[in-house]
Structures are given as structure tokens and as C-alpha cells.
Amino acid sequence: MRNSSKDKLRLSPSALNVFLDCQRCFWLEYGAGVHRPRGPFPSLPSGMDILIKKYFDSYRAVGKLPPEIERQVSGYLFSDTELLNKWRSWRSGLSYYDRDLGAVLVGAIDDCLVENERYIPIDYKTRGFDLADGGESFYQNQMNCYSFLLDTNGMKQPSYAYLAYFIPREIKKGADVRFSVHVKKLNTFPEDALNTFRKAVKLLRSPIPSHDDSCQFCTWNSKGVNNQGVKTKS
Ligand code: SF4
């Protein structure tokens, strides 16, 4: 995600994931527009995401939970589909503007449960296989950000979130694929999201971090960009 105006930086949870993964890669991508090499974007998870949203919306419309998750979560689906559809887009998603930094954190949530007037983010994940124990920690920053964004937009949240994994189990005649749905509850730390966001913005306004010689991407990177982050090859 690049700046939407010349002085307002916009970062998403996935941008912060890059920051947490490697500060130099983050600086290069969000400060200099130099991306890591990447393959074709898999379209299956995006297609599934659209279908799952429609499926959840059909239950939202009648005030029920989808049967696949009703024994795995508590609360009810956030009922305002129109507002939720705004939150689902990073252009109009939940945002936090930090005046001191002149930067915005924006997140696009998939869905939201409500219980005791608390708002609980839920994210759909399509996976090929069962998740190893503890694998949900990969999404910690993303869900921290969603809890933080709900809080700062006036919706109290209970410092946990749900990850709903859709895993294919079998295929039947007519290419009818059956999925199982596993929901994992993840404790969230909204203050960590704010700290990460602030550190990331400060890093972008600092000189480029140095190379890591042990990283194969860095070897590739060093051939095209000098230590000031200026492209040396087109
Ligand atoms: S390539 Fe360099 S900049 Fe990118 S991840 Fe590796 S160490 Fe970080």
C-alpha cells in the first residue's frame, strides 16, 4: 500500500508484517517502491473469501450463525451488512490516524461477532491442510491490528479474535468439494499493534537499514539498490 497523498502515509497490517519480518525489506517496499521478488498471486483463497463472505452474509440476514461455527464461537454476527462491507475494503476500512506521525493504519476485516456489546474480529482463512499447533501466531499482528482499530473507532473489544480455517476434506461427483471449518481463538494485544505501527513509520523516515548477508533475498536486493535505497538498475 503506497501513500494516498503526498504527506499522509497509509499502512496496513500486512505492511506491518513485512516490517516485523525484515526492516530493510519493509523500508525498500514502502519507502522506495522496491518489492521483493514474488510469484503469481494465488487466486483460490481470494475466490473462497468472496464465497465465504456471501455465505456468512446469508446467515447474518436471518440473525443466525452459520452452523459450521455456532458451537465454536460465542456471540452473534455483526448485523449491519452495509457498514461491514465498508470495513471489508482497505479503502474504507477501519482506520486510525496518528496526528503526531501524520500516518494512518488501516485494516480490512472479514467479519465481526458481537457479544455483551464487545466486538470480536473474525478472519476467514483457506488452507490446504490442518494448521500445526501454534500456527495461528502467524496472524498475531493482523489480529492485534483489528482489535486496536475496533477500539480506536469506539467499539469495545475483548482482546481476542477468531480465525476460521476452511480446509478441504473430500471431493464428490460434480466437483463438489467438502470443507471442514475449524475456529481458533487468539488472544490479541492492541497496544502491540500501536507500538509496531509507530516503529514502522519512524523506520520509514530514517535511513535504510543495513543488509543481512545471511539472507538470500538481500543478495538479490544488493544488486539492484544501493545503500541509500536508490535503484541502480532499471
Ligand atoms: S533481503 Fe535483505 S532486506 Fe529483504 S528480507 Fe532479507 S535481509 Fe531483509
Side-chain angles (χ1 to χ4, degrees), residues 63-93:
K64 290 184 175 174
L65 286 172
E68 295 80 4
I69 67 162
E70 64 182 348
R71 295 195 179 166
Q72 303 188 66
V73 301
S74 50
Y76 58 89
L77 288 176
F78 181 66
S79 58
D80 189 337
T81 311
E82 194 178 335
L83 183 55
L84 179 62
N85 279 334
K86 286 187 181 162
W87 294 351
R88 283 169 165 169
S89 161
W90 71 265
R91 291 177 194 281
S92 54

Side-chain angles (χ1 to χ4, degrees), residues 22 24-25 28 36 212 215 217-218 221:
C22 173
R24 184 175 168 90
C25 269
L28 285 166
R36 283 169 167 174
D212 178 347
C215 176
F217 282 122
C218 239
N221 232 342

Side-chain angles (χ1 to χ4, degrees), residues 38-218:
R38 50 189 173 202
F41 188 73
S43 60
L44 183 58
S46 307
M48 279 294 298
D49 212 54
I50 292 168
L51 292 180
I52 297 167
K53 283 174 181 160
K54 279 188 188 164
Y55 181 67
F56 273 57
D57 287 350
S58 70
Y59 280 90
R60 187 184 331 280
V62 293
K64 290 184 175 174
L65 286 172
E68 295 80 4
I69 67 162
E70 64 182 348
R71 295 195 179 166
Q72 303 188 66
V73 301
S74 50
Y76 58 89
L77 288 176
F78 181 66
S79 58
D80 189 337
T81 311
E82 194 178 335
L83 183 55
L84 179 62
N85 279 334
K86 286 187 181 162
W87 294 351
R88 283 169 165 169
S89 161
W90 71 265
R91 291 177 194 281
S92 54
L94 291 169
S95 64
Y96 162 76
Y97 176 51
D98 191 310
R99 282 183 198 284
D100 294 339
L101 294 173
V104 181
L105 176 65
V106 59
I109 71 171
D110 282 343
D111 216 315
C112 188
L113 289 160
V114 185
E115 186 182 30
N116 299 327
E117 297 180 22
R118 305 271 157 159
Y119 295 80
I120 308 155
I122 178 164
D123 208 71
Y124 319 133
K125 305 287 184 198
T126 307
R127 282 186 57 83
F129 306 97
D130 288 315
L131 193 71
D133 276 348
E136 62 272 19
S137 63
F138 181 75
Y139 303 108
Q140 186 71 61
N141 168 65
Q142 180 190 7
M143 304 318 282
N144 286 350
C145 287
Y146 293 165
S147 291
F148 170 74
L149 289 168
L150 285 166
D151 260 346
T152 52
N153 281 273
M155 286 160 283
K156 288 187 178 157
Q157 53 76 37
S159 290
Y160 64 82
Y162 290 119
L163 297 162
Y165 293 99
F166 287 71
I167 303 160
R169 293 301 182 199
E170 65 175 326
I171 184 161
K172 291 186 172 172
K173 192 175 172 189
D176 193 357
V177 181
R178 190 182 68 82
F179 286 79
S180 65
V181 183
H182 290 180
V183 179
K184 292 246 185 190
K185 185 174 176 180
L186 185 69
N187 291 327
T188 56
F189 306 93
E191 63 285 358
D192 285 0
L194 179 59
N195 285 337
T196 303
F197 172 62
R198 287 185 167 155
K199 284 182 193 164
V201 173
K202 284 179 184 159
L203 183 90
L204 283 182
R205 293 173 178 160
S206 308
I208 185 170
S210 56
H211 288 287
D212 178 347
D213 291 339
S214 65
C215 176
Q216 57 175 349
F217 282 122
C218 239

